Amino acid sequence: MGSFKTSCLKEWTYSKIGLILQNGANYVKLVYTYAAIALGGALGSAFRFILTIIFPFHNWPWGIFTANLGGCFLLGFLNPILHLRKSVPLAVKKGMTVGLIGGFTTMSTFAADTIAMLENGHLFGGSVYLLATVTGGIGFVALGSVLGARKWTR
């Protein structure tokens, strides 16, 4: 059984190497895309951290709230522009959206902050934060999309 696994692994590895060699240009594009996403994610999360320093969580998580709503607007604004611009490389598109904006926004911290507010007896504040972030996020994506599409069609 062990030799069967080894044989299958070797065949799989050789077939992947052959595919990579045949599609070398696609492989390089894929590597650039992953690198752009990683770089964008690092920058986005660093920018989010800076916001939490500027706007620390006292009674309301203003830093995370700002990052999430700002990121929603940016994603909504950039999506129609990047989608229609065929000259922008995929690595740049994904680096900006998945990487930079994805690293800038944070669902997990939003959820943790909401739970912390509710557990600490801030039922009204936690509920408002929850509703404001979700509805505001959807609203800001929609607003950004309208403005982004308008900018592109001018």
Side-chain angles (χ1 to χ4, degrees):
M1 186 74 164
S3 64
F4 176 74
K5 284 183 178 179
T6 305
S7 174
C8 288
L9 181 61
K10 283 181 183 176
E11 287 179 30
W12 181 86
T13 304
Y14 293 141
S15 68
K16 289 296 179 189
I17 291 171
L19 183 65
I20 289 168
L21 293 176
Q22 287 176 342
N23 299 317
N26 290 336
Y27 178 72
V28 170
K29 286 180 185 177
L30 186 64
V31 170
Y32 282 143
T33 301
Y34 280 121
I37 291 169
L39 178 62
L43 291 173
S45 56
F47 292 147
R48 175 174 21 104
F49 181 68
I50 290 168
L51 275 179
T52 62
I53 292 171
I54 295 170
F55 304 112
F57 184 164
H58 293 299
N59 292 326
W60 183 272
W62 285 109
I64 299 301
F65 186 71
T66 304
N68 284 336
L69 294 187
C72 285
F73 177 80
L74 286 173
L75 189 61
F77 185 79
L78 288 175
N79 263 343
I81 295 170
L82 294 175
H83 178 71
L84 295 171
R85 291 202 170 201
K86 303 300 181 199
S87 62
V88 178
L90 180 66
V92 173
K93 291 177 181 180
K94 296 298 181 186
M96 291 175 69
T97 56
V98 176
L100 184 69
I101 297 171
F104 186 60
T105 59
T106 172
M107 181 65 172
S108 57
T109 304
F110 155 65
D113 287 347
T114 302
I115 295 299
M117 292 172 78
L118 295 174
E119 286 180 346
N120 289 320
H122 302 288
L123 298 179
F124 181 75
S127 299
V128 169
Y129 178 58
L130 173 68
L131 291 172
T133 301
V134 172
T135 58
I138 293 168
F140 273 100
V141 168
L143 176 64
S145 295
V146 168
L147 295 175
R150 185 177 296 164
K151 178 164 178 52
W152 173 252
T153 57
R154 285 187 180 187

